[in-house]
Amino acid sequence: MRDGTATKNKINRVAMELFAEQGVTETTTKDIASGAGIAEGTIYRHYKSKDELVKKLFLSLYEEQGNYLRDIAASEKDPKQKIADMIARFCQLFAEDKALFTFLLLTQHGQLKEVPDDMVTPVVVLRDMIAQGQGIGIIKQGDPDLMAAMVLGVVVQPAVFHVYGRLTQDYKSFTQDLTEAAWGVLGLT
Amino acid sequence: MRDGTATKNKINRVAMELFAEQGVTETTTKDIASGAGIAEGTIYRHYKSKDELVKKLFLSLYEEQGNYLRDIAASEKDPKQKIADMIARFCQLFAEDKALFTFLLLTQHGQLKEVPDDMVTPVVVLRDMIAQGQGIGIIKQGDPDLMAAMVLGVVVQPAVFHVYGRLTQDYKSFTQDLTEAAWGVLGLT
Amino acid sequence: MRDGTATKNKINRVAMELFAEQGVTETTTKDIASGAGIAEGTIYRHYKSKDELVKKLFLSLYEEQGNYLRDIAASEKDPKQKIADMIARFCQLFAEDKALFTFLLLTQHGQLKEVPDDMVTPVVVLRDMIAQGQGIGIIKQGDPDLMAAMVLGVVVQPAVFHVYGRLTQDYKSFTQDLTEAAWGVLGLT
Amino acid sequence: MRDGTATKNKINRVAMELFAEQGVTETTTKDIASGAGIAEGTIYRHYKSKDELVKKLFLSLYEEQGNYLRDIAASEKDPKQKIADMIARFCQLFAEDKALFTFLLLTQHGQLKEVPDDMVTPVVVLRDMIAQGQGIGIIKQGDPDLMAAMVLGVVVQPAVFHVYGRLTQDYKSFTQDLTEAAWGVLGLT
DNA sequence: TATGAATGAGCCTTCATTCAT
DNA sequence: GATGAATGAAGGCTCATTCAT
């Protein structure tokens, strides 16, 4: 194969799934290689180290999520609807790719400090949107960083429980309840 | 010392702190031993393996939290106040011992499956309390497991952000906001 | 065994011999371990890395040679006799421990730059002795560093040939010839 | 390019320089390839293996030096002058191409055993010349192999020191001193 | 109970070599 | 002849665990 892109994509996908399943440290380069159907050394043609693989994977996926939310935040809709859209999108994403979410979740401890200051992250987008809503008097007052954290918690914690098997229904069926809860937190009536 | 209890306590405390700081896999038995001022082999007089240390540490601390919440839930107060008390207690705990919370947080991914069915956990206590509140018509209807997850998220996610340095104020100052948000989620007016 | 000194000595000796025989890079930590009859990991209880092992081994042996020569240089004899004594000592050393010499020889490229400025090395002792002999008019004039190099060459190069099998007689039988040649270089009649 | 000669020459030159600088084992085929501005695989169009590259490089360069000396030895001059000419030539060579000398020096340990018996090497030429001089009573008696080694040492060791930075003057300025020292070793008055 | 030297399986990584293009 | 992605054996090193003292 002249072009190594397919190989790199395979590495990325397999690595993410294994990291999600067993944790980063617990996943060996051998695991990744055999999962991707390649030799162990091949990983190192695409990444300088396992560490770089983890870092780049996290950062690119994390930013991707930020971009999705930013697009929603940029729409013409009112804050209440934007929150609903974001949550709907999150539920769908999670239902479609639980591994992605799990990877992001358990890699953050250790990687979050690597996030460049100017990166568009889900948290920043949410916080800005809340601040905006407060500006026009629709969202109740309070530290927007704290409120963003709380809204995120409302959405993420059930997902965590889902990952751990404590909640088993299709995640999309939670969309309505999660949305209402988020509204409750923000004082959106 | 004839009695090894002091040694064991030192191991427990140091281990928890190191686990919280660097992660479980990243913490070596050597780290723990030198942190506790003992020889490496001594750990194995108190625990069969590092794995057992992690497991027992997690379960005992996790259960301890459950017991605290259970005591609050058993009081005579009404659900709304109980929620407030629980959150106040969580905020205080977190402010006093961030390492404990961090340890519990990032160890759950591997240990939650080890929790015996009959153990009193924070989640179970919260869920039962919500169900009870729904029974007497004070808390709004909905899957109590999901609602417990959401309330937990409201409280835990800001703590996570605090651990990651994204929120820096004294955690106890959030108590009021967190309580109101939890009420909002549960439809407690 | 309570005391790891014997193990460390074994490592040192075996490492030196293998390094001399096959080169440093070509000698694996596994080679050393199995040669010393220990586990691979044991090496790392005594040295932080293979690199440190090489460095410390070289430096300590190199300095030891310097000390021997320094003792000879400190004697009451005249320069001509001192040269003879040094060469006699070198011949004996080489005859007794070819591996030591070979190790020193082929490790210098790479380690010589690690020698601290204040270390007593064979070269420095020789150079100072030559300078002294020049001072009292017994040794002919010229850059003492260059002359030290030449005298060293006279003694060392035959040893190198011996190592490579190009000279096969007992090295001590060369003592007289080497001494006269060294005198010739220094103009000692 | 139809003809790969230019590529091969580039490989040879770059390899020699890198080998001299960092050692053979420490130099990777990747280093050589990127230094020569070619792809890694291309080396294998010209050499069966890295090992073969080292071997052929060493032997051809080593023999080349032997040929130079042989030409000098074949002249009409007297032994004393021949020695002077050889040393002058060595000094010039070293001054012009330190890498070549260094490569030859530190590769000998592994390659000398590969030298065919009938090859004209610097050592053999020197030895024969000494024997001849002894035959006509100009050079003092003694094992010619040993004497060749000593003369070589006089010339080579200062060069080694130069490589290691212990001697820093222009090497050609040593010519006269080296020559006199060699004469001293051989008893040429 | 406590020690700490020793173990050895296994991890991450390097690198000479191959081969389809 | 040249390329460069892929290979896989092997190397240095770590670390949970054991055991004689």
Side-chain angles (χ1 to χ4, degrees):
Chain A
M1 193 178 308
R2 220 74 261 268
D3 178 13
T5 309
T7 303
K8 184 163 189 173
N9 288 340
K10 197 95 180 68
I11 291 172
N12 287 347
R13 183 70 211 175
V14 168
M16 193 192 77
E17 284 170 359
L18 290 174
F19 290 159
E21 211 170 289
Q22 346 174 331
V24 169
T25 319
E26 289 71 18
T27 300
T28 69
T29 50
K30 230 186 199 81
D31 288 341
I32 298 171
S34 83
I38 58 171
E40 220 177 329
T42 302
I43 295 172
Y44 293 85
R45 290 195 69 70
H46 298 279
Y47 293 101
K48 267 209 288 275
S49 65
K50 182 186 170 186
D51 215 62
E52 193 196 81
L53 164 59
V54 175
K55 204 160 291 181
K56 291 205 170 170
L57 209 50
F58 176 80
L59 250 27
S60 76
L61 294 172
Y62 194 55
E63 184 169 34
E64 194 181 5
Q65 302 315 312
N67 288 337
Y68 279 129
L69 289 201
R70 187 195 46 195
D71 293 346
I72 294 174
S75 77
E76 290 298 311
K77 303 175 180 169
D78 67 285
K80 195 168 173 181
Q81 188 54 44
K82 282 179 185 173
I83 290 287
D85 288 353
M86 284 179 178
I87 289 174
R89 148 131 200 90
F90 176 84
C91 291
Q92 170 151 15
L93 167 78
F94 180 75
E96 279 170 3
D97 198 345
K98 221 159 137 175
L100 167 57
F101 170 81
T102 309
F103 168 69
L104 252 17
L105 176 78
L106 58 76
T107 312
Q108 56 177 331
H109 184 88
Q111 298 305 325
L112 238 29
K113 68 172 86 80
E114 308 286 343
V115 175
D117 286 342
D118 59 336
M119 185 183 275
V120 176
T121 69
V123 179
V124 168
V125 172
L126 185 57
R127 196 258 327 270
D128 289 349
M129 222 213 58
I130 289 171
Q132 215 173 25
Q134 291 175 323
I136 58 176
I138 292 178
I139 290 175
K140 84 175 188 189
Q141 295 305 309
D143 179 352
D145 279 304
L146 175 60
M147 296 184 90
M150 294 189 297
V151 169
L152 197 66
V154 163
V155 181
V156 160
Q157 191 64 44
V160 172
F161 276 26
H162 206 279
V163 167
Y164 295 155
R166 196 119 62 177
L167 244 30
T168 50
Q169 290 175 58
D170 175 36
Y171 206 77
K172 275 191 283 191
S173 70
F174 297 151
T175 311
Q176 185 60 28
D177 287 333
L178 294 177
T179 303
E180 281 176 22
W183 287 345
V185 168
L186 297 175
L188 282 161
T189 45
Chain B
M1 193 174 310
R2 212 78 284 242
D3 174 17
T5 309
T7 302
K8 186 163 188 172
N9 287 340
K10 196 94 183 71
I11 291 173
N12 288 345
R13 182 69 210 172
V14 167
M16 193 192 77
E17 283 170 0
L18 289 174
F19 290 160
E21 213 170 289
Q22 346 173 332
V24 170
T25 319
E26 289 70 20
T27 300
T28 68
T29 50
K30 193 177 191 167
D31 288 340
I32 298 170
S34 83
I38 58 172
E40 244 185 295
T42 304
I43 295 172
Y44 293 85
R45 303 238 134 250
H46 299 277
Y47 292 102
K48 263 210 298 269
S49 66
K50 181 186 173 187
D51 218 62
E52 192 195 81
L53 163 60
V54 175
K55 204 160 291 179
K56 290 203 171 170
L57 207 49
F58 176 81
L59 287 178
S60 77
L61 294 172
Y62 194 56
E63 185 169 33
E64 194 181 4
Q65 302 314 311
N67 289 338
Y68 278 129
L69 290 202
R70 187 194 47 196
D71 293 347
I72 295 174
S75 79
E76 290 301 310
K77 303 178 180 168
D78 67 283
K80 195 170 173 181
Q81 189 53 44
K82 283 179 185 173
I83 290 287
D85 288 354
M86 285 178 178
I87 289 174
R89 150 130 197 90
F90 176 83
C91 290
Q92 171 150 17
L93 167 78
F94 180 76
E96 278 171 4
D97 198 345
K98 220 160 139 176
L100 167 57
F101 170 80
T102 309
F103 168 68
L104 253 18
L105 174 78
L106 56 77
T107 312
Q108 56 176 333
H109 183 77
Q111 301 303 327
L112 239 27
K113 66 172 88 78
E114 309 285 342
V115 175
D117 287 342
D118 59 337
M119 184 183 276
V120 176
T121 70
V123 179
V124 167
V125 173
L126 186 57
R127 196 256 329 268
D128 290 350
M129 222 214 57
I130 288 171
Q132 217 172 26
Q134 290 175 324
I136 58 175
I138 292 179
I139 291 176
K140 84 176 190 189
Q141 295 307 309
D143 179 353
D145 279 304
L146 175 59
M147 295 184 89
M150 293 189 297
V151 169
L152 196 66
V154 164
V155 180
V156 161
Q157 191 63 43
V160 172
F161 275 26
H162 206 280
V163 168
Y164 295 157
R166 198 123 57 179
L167 245 31
T168 51
Q169 290 177 60
D170 175 37
Y171 205 77
K172 276 190 285 192
S173 70
F174 297 150
T175 310
Q176 185 60 29
D177 286 333
L178 294 178
T179 303
E180 281 176 22
W183 287 345
V185 168
L186 297 175
L188 282 161
T189 45
Chain C
M1 192 177 311
R2 222 72 262 268
D3 178 12
T5 309
T7 303
K8 186 164 188 174
N9 289 339
K10 197 94 182 67
I11 292 172
N12 288 346
R13 182 70 212 174
V14 168
M16 194 192 76
E17 283 170 0
L18 290 174
F19 289 159
E21 210 172 291
Q22 347 173 331
V24 170
T25 319
E26 289 71 19
T27 300
T28 68
T29 51
K30 238 185 195 83
D31 288 341
I32 298 171
S34 83
I38 57 171
E40 218 178 328
T42 302
I43 295 173
Y44 294 87
R45 288 194 71 71
H46 298 278
Y47 293 101
K48 268 210 289 276
S49 65
K50 182 186 169 186
D51 216 62
E52 193 196 80
L53 164 59
V54 175
K55 203 160 292 183
K56 291 206 170 169
L57 209 50
F58 175 80
L59 250 27
S60 76
L61 294 172
Y62 194 55
E63 184 169 34
E64 195 181 2
Q65 302 315 312
N67 288 338
Y68 279 129
L69 290 201
R70 187 195 47 196
D71 292 345
I72 295 174
S75 77
E76 289 299 311
K77 302 178 181 165
D78 66 284
K80 196 169 171 181
Q81 188 55 43
K82 282 179 185 172
I83 290 286
D85 288 353
M86 285 179 178
I87 288 174
R89 151 133 196 88
F90 176 84
C91 290
Q92 169 151 17
L93 168 78
F94 180 75
E96 279 170 5
D97 199 345
K98 219 159 136 175
L100 167 56
F101 170 81
T102 309
F103 169 67
L104 251 18
L105 176 78
L106 57 77
T107 312
Q108 55 176 330
H109 184 89
Q111 297 305 326
L112 238 27
K113 66 171 87 80
E114 308 286 342
V115 175
D117 286 341
D118 58 337
M119 185 183 274
V120 176
T121 69
V123 178
V124 167
V125 173
L126 186 57
R127 196 259 326 270
D128 290 349
M129 222 214 56
I130 289 172
Q132 218 172 21
Q134 290 175 325
I136 57 175
I138 292 179
I139 291 175
K140 83 175 190 189
Q141 295 305 310
D143 179 351
D145 279 304
L146 175 60
M147 296 184 89
M150 294 189 297
V151 169
L152 197 67
V154 163
V155 180
V156 161
Q157 192 63 45
V160 172
F161 275 26
H162 206 280
V163 168
Y164 295 156
R166 206 143 23 199
L167 244 31
T168 51
Q169 290 177 60
D170 175 36
Y171 205 76
K172 275 191 283 191
S173 69
F174 297 151
T175 311
Q176 185 60 29
D177 287 333
L178 295 177
T179 303
E180 280 174 23
W183 286 346
V185 168
L186 297 174
L188 282 161
T189 45
Chain D
M1 193 175 310
R2 210 85 279 251
D3 174 18
T5 309
T7 301
K8 187 163 187 174
N9 288 339
K10 196 95 183 72
I11 291 173
N12 288 346
R13 182 70 212 174
V14 167
M16 193 193 75
E17 283 171 359
L18 290 174
F19 289 159
E21 213 170 289
Q22 346 173 331
V24 170
T25 319
E26 290 71 19
T27 300
T28 68
T29 50
K30 194 177 189 166
D31 288 340
I32 298 170
S34 85
I38 57 173
E40 245 184 296
T42 303
I43 294 173
Y44 293 85
R45 303 240 133 248
H46 299 277
Y47 292 102
K48 263 209 298 269
S49 67
K50 182 187 172 185
D51 217 61
E52 192 196 82
L53 164 59
V54 175
K55 204 159 292 180
K56 291 204 171 171
L57 207 50
F58 176 80
L59 287 178
S60 76
L61 293 171
Y62 194 54
E63 184 169 34
E64 196 182 2
Q65 302 315 311
N67 289 338
Y68 279 130
L69 290 201
R70 188 194 46 196
D71 292 347
I72 295 175
S75 77
E76 290 300 311
K77 301 177 182 168
D78 67 285
K80 195 169 174 182
Q81 188 54 43
K82 282 179 185 174
I83 290 287
D85 288 354
M86 284 178 179
I87 289 174
R89 147 127 200 93
F90 177 83
C91 291
Q92 170 151 14
L93 167 78
F94 180 75
E96 279 170 4
D97 198 345
K98 219 159 139 176
L100 167 57
F101 170 81
T102 309
F103 168 68
L104 253 17
L105 176 78
L106 56 77
T107 313
Q108 56 175 333
H109 184 76
Q111 300 305 325
L112 239 29
K113 66 171 88 81
E114 308 286 343
V115 175
D117 287 341
D118 58 337
M119 185 183 275
V120 176
T121 70
V123 178
V124 167
V125 172
L126 186 57
R127 196 258 326 270
D128 289 350
M129 221 214 58
I130 288 172
Q132 215 173 24
Q134 291 175 322
I136 57 174
I138 292 180
I139 290 175
K140 84 175 190 188
Q141 295 306 310
D143 179 351
D145 278 303
L146 175 59
M147 296 185 89
M150 294 191 295
V151 169
L152 196 67
V154 163
V155 180
V156 161
Q157 191 65 43
V160 171
F161 275 26
H162 206 279
V163 168
Y164 294 156
R166 206 142 24 196
L167 244 31
T168 51
Q169 290 177 58
D170 176 36
Y171 206 76
K172 275 190 284 191
S173 70
F174 296 151
T175 310
Q176 185 59 28
D177 287 334
L178 295 177
T179 303
E180 281 175 21
W183 286 345
V185 167
L186 297 174
L188 282 161
T189 45

